[in-house]
Amino acid sequence: MSADDPIAAFRVEAGELLDQVEQGLLDLTHRLDDMDLVNAVFRGLHTLKGSGAMFGFDALAAFTHHCETAFDRVRKGQVPATPALVGVILSAQDHMRGLVEGNASESEGAAILASLQEAVDAASGGAAAPAKDAAPSAPAPATAAVAQAAGWNIRFRLPPDSMANGTNPLMLLDELRELGSCTVVALTDQVPPLPQLTPTDCHIGWDVTLVGDVSRDAIDDVFIFVMDDMELTVTPIAAEAEAESIATEDAVPAAVAAVAAPSAAPAAPVAAANDTATARTPAKADESVRVPAARLDSLMDRVGELVIAQSRLSQLAHHGHDLVLRSVSEEIERLAGELRDTMMVLRMVPVASLFGRFRRLIHDLARDTGKNIVLVTEGEATEVDKTVIERLFDPMVHLVRNSCDHGLENAEQRVAAGKPEAGTVRLGAHQSGGEVVITIRDDGRGIDRARVRAKAEANGLIQPDQALSDQELLQLIFAPGFSTAAQITNLSGRGVGMDVVKRTIEGLRGTIDIQSVDGQGSTISLRIPLTLAIIDGLLVRVGASRYVIPLTAVEECLELSLEDDMRHRGRSLITLREKLVPFLRLRELFVSGTKPDPYQKIVVVATGQGRVGLVVDQIIGNHQTVIKPMSPLHRGVSTFAGATILGDGEVALILDIAQLVAAGQPQEESLRAAG
């Protein structure tokens, strides 16, 4: 996104605004009588309408106006908020996204507006008429009577940076003119001399006399999304005695009373209003800057290059005898490390931004399946690299849909099983070392293992008598084309989706773990690296080549002498604390063509299915690894997650542990059989 492209900036802002409206609507489905939520949704729609008109999105402004009008009736108590009405506004919000992106259908918009009118008519037909003697919250009865008789005096000043932030004062004045007959006088008393004038600031105020049958609410609606930062005084047009009476009854602030006074001394009201505005203006919150993601990615690449250069400098300094050079190298290493850590924090975003998107999905799934589903989120403050967040959404959609469709029972089945009528889907996240663990848990029926095995045997994935561990059996659900659904629905059953989940998670260098208890539900855990850019790795040597093992997968290192290696030739198993651990000889897997070192090392790594040892010739040590993508020619080699450049300029390949173990076990068996 270019910083000079206002349309692109509007689309980003509109997307965030629509997200806020959607969250407000989803909250409103559970608390239909919460007027704070109603007002928040109304303000969002009002802001979207005004901003859309400002940037030339006339179709968006016109469509949003109808939704805003419906919610205005809810806000004023004329129509109650109903599930049907909120559901239509949710559908309308989807159409607004299409209008923002320019791919919406006119027929779809017309159908939504027709449904909106039906929902409003149904709601108003069932609502009791408001009592005539009920005292409205604003304005008070006396104020309303005066307003209907004459009109209002409106004096307002916008903050100096209002135009730079997208507020157009002329549009505010146009909205006031639509309410009635207006006389507008510009207040130029605060315009500075020309040498001190900042052209981008707003220095002018406005004094507006609005004549007509206009309520105070209608005036507030004009300024609803700038009211917090501006100076605004609104007083009814009335005789002096009536004005004093109203001021006494309604406890009008001193600044308002000053504006309502005769205009013999105009300087005093302005000064009083300014003093009041200064007193009530809140302190500015911490400012933030919107930076395009591409710039962060570019900066991350530069930091990666700096880490590589620092590694080379450190190697040269430690091989020499120049103490000054070594001191400078250590200082640069410290600064590069701090810069790397700062850069990593800049790329981190809380998983709340990911979890929040599933509220709408659960709402729609509950409607489509006819089930009562509750979404619970935990650990939303856990932070993950933004690239990881973006790539996690699609696989999590498949997992959540399967939990709702296959896992959760309908209300009758749950009650018969002694469970609450509403099924629960829990999304959780927590950090574990250099990884984040994201869990999708449901309290449904669990995974039917007998059915999974029967389906796998029918598809030829396993032999009828093949022995499988519980985890290996459950992992079969991620096989391509695998599905245990009795019938195909619009949600699942075609056997596509879960294999995509596995490929995506493995592409993120992550692992999937499944736990399921019959009748109690299932838990799927995704273990994902915190970042995909720079990792801590263990640098090892196999023959003449060097490789990097992600440090998050390493559990411990052992020594394997030549005699022990020969003794284990027949089985490739070692006993580690009274447990058998299989190991793979990387020298043979990679066909290095070299003889083993006298004292080899075993690096024990953790995989999704247990622990495996990797036999290497030498453990060189810890290494800050900047991950570089593989060339197009080598992208098909699944045992490597990427490459990195070492301090001496050589390239070291980064091992993909899960893929390496999966590919290495049959190869090890064939090598052992040939031997």
Side-chain angles (χ1 to χ4, degrees):
M1 180 188 74
S2 170
D4 298 329
D5 186 357
I7 299 300
F10 166 74
R11 286 195 168 105
V12 173
E13 297 283 355
E16 294 178 354
L17 198 58
L18 286 169
D19 287 341
Q20 295 173 10
V21 170
E22 182 179 84
Q23 297 303 315
L25 290 169
L26 292 172
D27 288 335
L28 196 58
T29 58
H30 303 291
R31 305 196 300 273
L32 292 173
D33 57 348
D34 191 329
M35 293 308 297
D36 289 338
L37 289 175
V38 172
N39 289 327
V41 171
F42 175 80
R43 285 194 298 270
L45 294 173
H46 187 82
T47 303
L48 186 65
K49 181 189 77 170
S51 300
M54 184 184 304
F55 285 93
F57 288 77
D58 296 333
L60 172 66
F63 181 83
T64 309
H65 174 72
H66 294 285
C67 301
E68 178 198 20
T69 301
F71 248 81
D72 187 38
R73 296 185 64 185
V74 175
R75 187 173 66 99
K76 293 178 178 178
Q78 300 171 356
V79 173
T82 63
L85 178 58
V86 175
V88 174
I89 299 294
L90 272 173
S91 301
Q93 179 257 348
D94 292 335
H95 184 66
M96 294 174 200
R97 290 185 189 275
L99 290 170
V100 171
E101 298 299 330
N103 54 11
S105 166
E106 291 185 10
S107 59
E108 178 186 4
I112 292 174
L113 291 180
S115 300
L116 177 62
Q117 187 60 48
E118 292 176 3
V120 172
D121 292 342
S124 60
K132 293 182 180 180
D133 56 350
S137 57
T143 305
V146 175
Q148 293 172 359
W152 303 86
N153 280 325
I154 305 166
R155 183 186 294 264
F156 69 95
R157 288 185 183 273
L158 297 173
D161 58 351
S162 57
M163 292 189 292
N165 292 333
T167 302
N168 188 343
L170 297 181
M171 295 191 67
L172 300 177
L173 293 173
D174 288 340
E175 288 192 50
L176 290 175
R177 289 191 180 96
E178 293 175 0
L179 299 177
S181 175
C182 277
T183 301
V184 180
V185 177
L187 305 176
T188 60
D189 54 296
Q190 294 187 14
V191 177
L194 188 59
Q196 303 173 14
L197 188 142
T198 303
T200 56
D201 286 354
C202 180
H203 303 284
I204 302 176
W206 288 270
D207 196 343
V208 181
T209 301
L210 176 61
V211 179
D213 183 7
V214 182
S215 68
R216 173 63 189 268
D217 283 342
I219 297 174
D220 288 342
D221 288 348
V222 173
F223 302 100
I224 192 167
F225 58 93
V226 292
M227 189 174 293
D228 292 339
D229 300 323
M230 69 181 300
E231 301 174 21
L232 174 66
T233 57
V234 181
T235 55
I237 299 175
E240 182 176 354
E242 291 177 329
E244 291 176 357
S245 173
I246 294 170
T248 303
E249 294 176 5
D250 294 344
V252 177
V256 178
V259 175
S263 57
V270 175
N274 290 341
D275 291 342
T276 304
T278 303
R280 65 179 176 88
T281 300
K284 277 193 174 182
D286 292 339
E287 295 186 358
S288 60
V289 178
R290 186 186 301 278
V291 179
R295 294 187 183 177
L296 281 181
D297 294 337
S298 177
L299 181 57
M300 189 71 227
D301 290 340
R302 300 297 182 271
V303 172
E305 297 294 336
L306 177 62
V307 171
I308 293 173
Q310 174 269 318
S311 177
R312 186 173 183 184
L313 175 61
S314 179
Q315 187 174 9
L316 291 174
H318 283 80
H319 285 165
H321 301 285
D322 191 335
L323 296 180
V324 176
L325 177 61
R326 183 173 299 183
S327 175
V328 172
S329 171
E330 292 174 352
E331 182 67 13
I332 292 179
E333 181 178 1
R334 180 184 66 80
L335 294 174
E338 292 176 357
L339 180 60
R340 180 204 66 208
D341 294 340
T342 302
M343 187 62 225
M344 301 298 288
V345 171
L346 289 178
R347 291 171 59 94
M348 294 293 183
V349 294
V351 295
S353 62
L354 174 65
F355 288 175
R357 298 162 71 179
F358 287 95
R359 297 185 63 199
R360 176 65 185 279
L361 177 65
I362 292 293
H363 175 275
D364 293 344
L365 288 174
R367 179 195 60 203
D368 296 340
T369 61
K371 301 175 182 178
N372 190 354
I373 307 174
V374 177
L375 175 66
V376 178
T377 58
E378 302 167 345
E380 293 178 296
T382 305
E383 293 188 332
V384 190
D385 190 292
K386 67 174 187 65
T387 306
V388 175
I389 288 286
E390 293 166 0
R391 295 174 61 179
L392 271 178
F393 179 70
D394 287 339
M396 286 189 63
V397 166
H398 289 294
L399 295 174
V400 170
R401 287 166 68 99
N402 274 274
S403 292
C404 295
D405 194 28
H406 294 308
L408 296 179
E409 311 94 334
N410 57 39
E412 293 79 9
Q413 293 170 334
R414 292 183 63 84
V415 172
K419 296 181 179 180
E421 182 177 335
T424 302
V425 174
R426 294 180 180 272
L427 301 181
H430 68 273
Q431 187 173 338
S432 176
E435 295 179 322
V436 62
V437 181
I438 295 180
T439 57
I440 300 95
R441 181 181 298 113
D442 66 73
D443 62 349
R445 58 174 63 91
I447 299 176
D448 188 339
R449 290 165 173 79
R451 193 171 183 178
V452 170
R453 186 176 186 94
K455 191 71 175 182
E457 291 176 357
N459 290 355
L461 297 175
I462 59 174
Q463 299 301 319
D465 299 329
Q466 184 175 344
L468 294 174
S469 66
D470 187 63
Q471 190 61 220
E472 289 172 338
L473 179 64
L474 293 177
Q475 289 285 335
L476 290 174
I477 68 175
F478 294 106
F482 188 90
S483 175
T484 59
Q487 60 183 1
I488 296 175
T489 68
N490 62 338
L491 295 179
S492 58
R494 300 184 182 275
V496 295
M498 297 301 278
D499 60 319
V500 175
V501 170
K502 186 175 179 64
R503 288 200 303 269
T504 303
I505 298 303
E506 290 179 346
L508 292 170
R509 304 194 311 278
T511 58
I512 305 176
D513 178 67
I514 307 177
Q515 296 177 356
S516 181
V517 179
D518 289 341
Q520 297 183 26
S522 304
T523 300
I524 298 180
S525 301
L526 311 178
R527 302 184 70 92
I528 309 293
L530 285 174
T531 178
L532 302 179
I534 298 178
I535 64 171
D536 287 322
L538 185 67
L539 187 63
V540 300
R541 179 178 60 82
V542 179
S545 302
R546 287 174 287 182
Y547 302 91
V548 175
I549 302 175
L551 203 56
T552 55
V554 176
E555 289 198 346
E556 57 185 301
C557 300
L558 308 172
E559 189 171 280
L560 179 67
S561 65
L562 188 58
E563 293 78 8
D564 290 337
D565 188 19
M566 296 302 296
R567 185 164 53 250
H568 291 294
R569 275 281 166 184
R571 53 185 183 137
S572 296
L573 291 169
I574 59 172
T575 303
L576 184 61
R577 285 185 288 278
E578 300 181 357
K579 290 186 179 180
L580 292 177
V581 177
F583 62 83
L584 304 173
R585 296 174 176 84
L586 296 187
R587 187 181 63 262
E588 296 176 357
L589 292 179
F590 297 155
V591 194
S592 64
T594 59
K595 293 183 178 181
D597 281 18
Y599 293 96
Q600 302 175 84
K601 306 295 187 294
I602 298 180
V603 180
V604 180
V605 296
T607 68
Q609 291 144 1
R611 296 186 298 172
V612 176
L614 304 178
V615 179
V616 301
D617 289 324
Q618 180 187 2
I619 297 176
I620 299 174
N622 187 24
H623 185 267
Q624 289 287 337
T625 304
V626 181
I627 301 175
K628 298 292 185 181
M630 301 286 283
S631 68
L633 183 64
H634 299 92
R635 281 178 187 164
V637 184
S638 59
T639 52
F640 301 112
T644 188
I645 302 174
L646 303 177
D648 57 5
E650 294 292 328
V651 174
L653 297 176
I654 303 169
L655 302 184
D656 187 325
I657 300 301
Q659 296 289 344
L660 177 67
V661 172
Q665 286 176 338
Q667 187 174 349
E668 179 76 13
E669 293 174 1
S670 64
L671 288 171
R672 190 166 58 246

